[in-house]
Amino acid sequence: MKRLLVATAVIEGAAGVALLIWPSATVGVLAGPTVVLSSVALTLVRLGGAVLLAVGASAGLASRRPESRTARGVVWGMTLYNLGAAGGLCVPKLALSQGGALLWPAIVLHA
């Protein structure tokens, strides 16, 4: 379980930082380069980046004691998040026929 927590900390933390610092470019790589974000969408993307950074931080902290009840709770939360993220990421590709270079890898990573 420690490897899962560490991998989640690194991947989600990096995604969170990318969404906070380069929201348009990050969304472009996932949803496609033709996607233009409004100011409201940029705010929500940055909020999502903060959430991913928090997920990464909680996974990183839980990795210090991977057999604790806290770590198990973090893993359950990550499982729910990953199911929702995989489903949510499928929408641009399947329903809207859009997608960037990293959309399928992101879906597979969360599935």
Side-chain angles (χ1 to χ4, degrees):
M1 187 160 38
K2 184 176 179 93
R3 288 183 186 168
L4 173 65
L5 290 165
V6 170
T8 298
V10 171
I11 293 168
E12 301 300 347
V17 169
L19 287 170
L20 282 167
I21 297 174
W22 306 287
S24 295
T26 306
V27 169
V29 171
L30 289 171
T34 60
V35 174
V36 178
L37 299 174
S38 68
S39 60
V40 172
L42 279 171
T43 301
L44 293 174
V45 167
R46 285 190 174 109
L47 179 63
V51 170
L52 290 180
L53 193 57
V55 167
S58 64
L61 291 171
S63 72
R64 295 180 180 177
R65 295 185 58 204
E67 300 308 319
S68 69
R69 286 190 285 177
T70 302
R72 281 183 276 172
V74 169
V75 169
W76 273 106
M78 287 172 11
T79 302
L80 292 173
Y81 160 73
N82 282 326
L83 289 172
L89 289 170
C90 284
V91 170
K93 190 63 176 176
L94 301 177
L96 305 175
S97 298
Q98 291 181 335
L102 295 181
L103 183 59
W104 278 118
I107 292 169
V108 170
L109 187 66
H110 287 290

